């Protein structure tokens, strides 16, 4: 995946001097044992790094400052093996700028009922130590994920792994750059937003580039590179006969390849992690970039059509979260409905730009006319999406805040073949049902554009929202419209008051 780094997570144990140096030495060994087991278990996506056991405010503060300025440290796991009086943590945690997870675990899994004595108790008292820590986290209004269970427990590890992937997504946002070719699709509201607020909240920047700069980059691509890429297409996809080498429309495929190479070169030169286009600003490009966008997304670039930079950035983050998981992630749009009372369905697609990472089987590379954009016929990959659970996520700007909306859906095989639909697509069932899902989405102000994923789950995005102190609204099997609408009203109040509570 493009520009993917693997940051590390620091494992921090809190203690105090009450029980003497021998106990502290044993606690350090226990922590190292846990860290080694976490790393050797192979279920966690990021490396865990042991940090010395902390017993006083100065070293706690120093560790938090070190974490802040260590670029490769994406987050901290905190565990209080015993009481670590938490006024000692105020200075450090108040200056900490990295996400943290509070692991409420205990070194010994089982109590040795027959042998338990005070020495055992001194080494295994997270039961009250972590409560003292939890109080100060809550008192300081700190966002974190609390995970409970023995460190060898599969569910505990699963929750830790999900958080690590969310942390990887957050870490990837910091300093990320997104390029916008042209501005927004004229008069469209939901794709607009406050780029200054986004940079302050999420850590990424979005800046505009003239389409002429992209056209120049496309013009600099060599014929030999275009020929090589067309060969790659022929080996990787089922290329329509008319587009193959020597066939009557092969030149259109070469145009598509040239656009891909020019766009890729531009993004690499600027170290971008994603981009937007708009079909209203394509002067100098022969085709609307379809195939190019599909292939760049597959390499990990975020993308939003019609100037939708919020979706471009969200898509990149979702791709980073799910980078090592089974299942693909794509830009998506709710396109059209099957309103049959025996089974309502949504057909998701876009004019062209659906990522091949969600393809079931080998994509077909085709050329068809496109009614909008006023350009030559664009080449594109066409495919279906495999059945299974998925999410649609949308980031919207409500003026005073951003809202992340997540809808859990179930992809199904299309009930019939779609031989005349010339775009890639996914067909899904809404949870909890079609009507409730659509109504909730619309009440929440969710966009028509989404980041669609069969790899990332609600838990990942819940953890991401917690890290960012971002409003999260979920539509799932438990959603009822009455309580959903009440949640939206409650959130209006909470996020209006939140700055006064010290939570920006
Ligand atoms: Mn669109």
């Amino acid at each position: 995946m493009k520009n993917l780094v693997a940051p590390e997570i620091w494992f921090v144990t809190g203690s105090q001097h009450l029980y003497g140096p021998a106990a502290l030495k044993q606690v350090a060994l226990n922590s190292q044992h846990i860290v080694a087991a976490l790393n050797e278990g192979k279920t966690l996506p990021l490396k865990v790094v042991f940090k010395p056991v902390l017993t006083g405010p100065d070293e706690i503060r120093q560790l938090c400052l070190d974490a802040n300025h260590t670029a490769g440290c994406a987050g901290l796991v905190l565990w209080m093996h015993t009481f670590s009086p938490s006024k000692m943590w105020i200075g450090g945690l108040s200056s900490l700028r990295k996400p943290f997870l509070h692991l409420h675990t205990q070194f010994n899994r089982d109590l040795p009922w027959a042998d338990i004595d005070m020495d055992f108790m001194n080494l295994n008292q997270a039961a009250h130590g972590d409560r003292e820590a939890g109080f100060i986290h809550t008192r300081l209004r700190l966002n974190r994920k609390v995970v409970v269970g023995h460190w060898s427990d599969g569910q505990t590890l699963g929750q830790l792994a999900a958080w690590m992937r969310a942390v990887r997504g957050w870490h990837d946002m910091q300093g990320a750059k997104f390029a916008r070719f042209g501005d927004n699709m004229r008069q469209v509201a939901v794709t607009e937003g406050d780029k200054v607020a986004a940079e302050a909240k999420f850590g990424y920047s979005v800046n505009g580039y003239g389409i002429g700069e992209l056209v120049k980059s496309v013009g600099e691509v060599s014929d030999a590179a275009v020929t090589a890429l067309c060969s790659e297409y022929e080996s990787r996809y089922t290329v329509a006969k008319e587009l193959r080498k020597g066939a009557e429309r092969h030149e259109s495929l070469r145009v598509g390849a040239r656009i891909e190479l020019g766009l890729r070169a531009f993004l690499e030169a600027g170290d971008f992690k994603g981009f937007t286009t708009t079909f209203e600003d394509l002067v100098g490009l022969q085709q609307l970039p379809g195939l190019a966008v599909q292939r760049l997304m597959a390499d990990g670039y975020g993308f939003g059509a019609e100037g939708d930079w919020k979706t471009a950035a969200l898509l990149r983050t979702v791709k980073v979260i799910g980078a090592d998981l089974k299942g693909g992630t794509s830009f998506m749009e709710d396109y059209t409905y099957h309103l049959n009372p025996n089974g309502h369905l949504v057909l998701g697609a876009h004019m062209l730009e659906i990522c091949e990472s969600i393809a079931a089987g080998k994509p077909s590379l085709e050329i068809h006319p496109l009614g909008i954009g006023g350009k030559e016929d664009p080449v594109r990959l066409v495919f279906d999406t495999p059945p299974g659970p998925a999410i649609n996520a949308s980031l919207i700007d409500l003026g005073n805040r951003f809202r992340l909306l997540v809808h859990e859906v179930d992809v199904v095989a299309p009930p019939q073949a779609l031989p005349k639909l010339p775009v890639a697509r996914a067909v899904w069932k809404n949870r909890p049902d079609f009507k409730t899902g659509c109504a909730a989405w619309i009440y929440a102000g969710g966009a028509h554009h989404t980041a669609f994923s069969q790899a990332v789950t609600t838990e990942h995005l819940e953890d991401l929202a917690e890290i960012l102190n971002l409003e999260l609204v979920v539509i799932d099997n438990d959603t009822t419209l009455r309580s959903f609408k009440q949640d939206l009203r409650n959130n209006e109040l909470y996020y209006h008051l939140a700055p006064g509570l010290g939570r920006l």
Side-chain angles (χ1 to χ4, degrees), residues 60-262:
I60 292 169
R61 184 192 298 271
Q62 191 57 52
L63 179 117
C64 292
L65 295 177
D66 289 348
N68 286 350
H69 69 68
T70 303
C73 168
L76 281 62
V77 171
L78 305 185
W79 168 52
M80 305 301 131
H81 88 94
T82 184
F83 221 71
S84 180
S86 70
K87 281 168 71 179
M88 299 195 304
W89 289 77
I90 294 173
L93 290 177
S94 298
S95 32
L96 183 65
R97 303 273 294 163
K98 298 279 166 92
F100 75 91
L101 178 147
H102 184 186
L103 181 60
H104 184 45
T105 192
Q106 174 170 292
F107 184 69
N108 273 64
R109 193 189 67 180
D110 298 345
L111 284 187
W113 300 101
D115 303 317
I116 187 167
D117 57 12
M118 282 318 287
D119 286 344
F120 178 92
M121 299 274 268
N122 289 344
L123 293 174
N124 290 281
Q125 42 196 1
H128 57 272
D130 273 329
R131 281 174 163 74
E132 168 74 355
F135 166 73
I136 209 66
H137 302 160
T138 294
R139 174 68 177 78
L140 296 175
R141 274 78 177 174
L142 298 176
N143 285 30
R144 76 281 191 188
K145 183 177 192 178
V146 178
V147 174
V148 180
H150 192 253
W151 45 271
S152 65
D153 176 73
Q155 196 180 31
T156 302
L157 292 170
Q159 289 179 282
L160 186 53
W163 175 80
M164 283 187 175
R165 292 188 173 99
V167 165
R168 183 170 61 198
W170 172 83
H171 185 258
D172 183 78
M173 283 180 175
Q174 307 312 307
K177 293 186 280 183
F178 293 88
R180 285 180 97 211
F181 297 110
D183 194 72
N184 204 55
M185 180 177 166
R186 285 186 280 275
Q187 306 286 16
V188 175
V190 77
T191 47
E192 293 279 10
D194 184 339
K195 296 193 280 291
V196 174
E199 187 160 348
K201 187 160 191 74
F202 302 116
Y204 61 71
S205 64
V206 181
N207 286 291
Y209 293 85
I211 194 72
E213 295 180 69
L214 175 56
V215 170
K216 183 168 172 287
S217 180
V218 170
E220 286 165 359
V221 173
S222 74
D223 289 344
V226 170
T227 302
L229 186 54
C230 287
S231 301
E232 188 187 323
Y233 293 160
E234 295 211 21
S235 66
R236 194 176 165 90
Y237 310 116
T238 305
V239 178
K241 275 199 183 110
E242 57 190 339
L243 289 174
R244 289 183 198 158
K245 197 170 181 181
E248 66 271 25
R249 304 197 74 180
H250 182 65
E251 190 51 35
S252 294
L253 187 64
R254 291 184 64 84
V255 169
R258 195 177 292 280
I259 292 172
E260 178 185 332
L261 291 164

Side-chain angles (χ1 to χ4, degrees), residues 437-453:
C438 288
W441 187 272
I442 288 169
Y443 278 125
H448 56 299
H449 287 166
T450 63
F452 167 93
S453 182

